[in-house]
Structures are given as C-alpha cells and as structure tokens.
Amino acid sequence: MTSHKTTVQTMKPATAAKKLGVYLEATPAEFQEGVVSRNELNALQTDPPEWLTTLRREGPHPRPVVAAKLGVSIAGLARGGVTDALTTEEIDALKTDSPEWLVRERATQAEVRKEAARIKEKNAERTADSPRDRA
C-alpha cells in the first residue's frame, strides 16, 4: 500500500530548527509555539527573514553547528566541557585561544577523517578488483 502525502505536511518547531541549523530556544516565540509546514520551511530556506539570517550569522548556534565550526565532533565538544549553544563570537574566541582540549579534539577528528578516507579507498580498490568487473 502506498502512503499518500497530505496537502499540508507539518513538523514540530524542533525539527524545523534542526533543518534550518538554528538553536530552537533562540528563535522567535511564534516559531517555537507553532507548527511549520513544508511550504513554510522551504520559504524560510529560500528567503530567510531577518531573525533567521541574524541567528545563522551570530548565533547562538546548536551543538552540531558549533562542532562543525570548530572542526571537532559533538562528542569532542562534550569532552571539552562545551554543553551549551555558543555564539559566533564565543566560537571565534575559542579558535583564537585554542585551548588544549580543542587542539586534541581537532587532531582526533583529523585522524578519524584520515581513517575514513583510507577505508573508502580500500573499499574502492576491492570493488575495482572484484571478478565481476573483469568479465
């Protein structure tokens, strides 16, 4: 049986905030208290209002965004004691100060990426060497 999409699909504000890459608690009250339709989400993404542009530029940013801006994992943030949303200014200060935990977590993240690339390359070689491709 096929499911048919309703004409107006909605999502919780938390889901919409996650898709927009913003910290829910920093959004306007009307955003937090309502529901967001797919059409409204698309409109917010294509033509963001001032509050959304400001949030994306200045923060506070949710942990996934903070982690990406710092070049570490979310778990690395937690190990470094960062459990709350940070503003762009706070993120820039961390980059400038470069505390020991941040240096360590960036190195760990670099190793993780390096290992992932190695595995991907190995799998690609294995696929290229498979007998099916020789026929």
Side-chain angles (χ1 to χ4, degrees):
M1 179 179 267
T2 327
S3 67
H4 297 284
K5 291 186 177 181
T6 60
T7 54
V8 181
Q9 286 186 326
T10 59
M11 62 191 82
K12 295 178 182 177
T15 303
K18 188 174 185 178
K19 288 179 181 282
L20 293 169
V22 295
Y23 187 56
L24 177 63
E25 286 76 13
T27 61
E30 54 271 9
F31 181 86
Q32 294 180 39
E33 295 164 359
V35 293
V36 180
S37 72
R38 291 221 178 260
N39 291 339
E40 290 169 332
L41 179 68
N42 291 338
L44 287 169
Q45 290 173 325
T46 56
D47 187 22
E50 184 59 33
W51 66 264
L52 182 54
T53 303
T54 302
L55 264 181
R56 286 178 169 167
R57 183 180 57 246
E58 299 172 8
H61 304 287
R63 287 184 305 144
V65 174
V66 173
K69 286 179 178 270
L70 290 173
V72 299
S73 66
I74 294 172
L77 283 180
R79 285 189 294 268
V82 178
T83 57
D84 296 327
L86 298 180
T87 63
T88 300
E89 190 175 301
E90 292 168 324
I91 293 168
D92 291 343
L94 274 173
K95 287 178 178 178
T96 301
D97 295 346
S98 201
E100 193 242 308
W101 72 264
L102 182 57
V103 172
R104 185 177 60 248
E105 291 301 333
R106 281 180 166 172
T108 299
Q109 192 68 10
E111 285 298 316
V112 168
R113 287 188 196 111
K114 186 176 165 183
E115 180 65 8
R118 185 191 70 76
I119 290 170
K120 184 177 180 180
E121 185 178 314
K122 185 177 179 180
N123 288 341
E125 288 173 6
R126 189 177 297 149
T127 302
D129 290 342
S130 75
R132 287 181 284 165
D133 295 340
R134 293 184 188 153

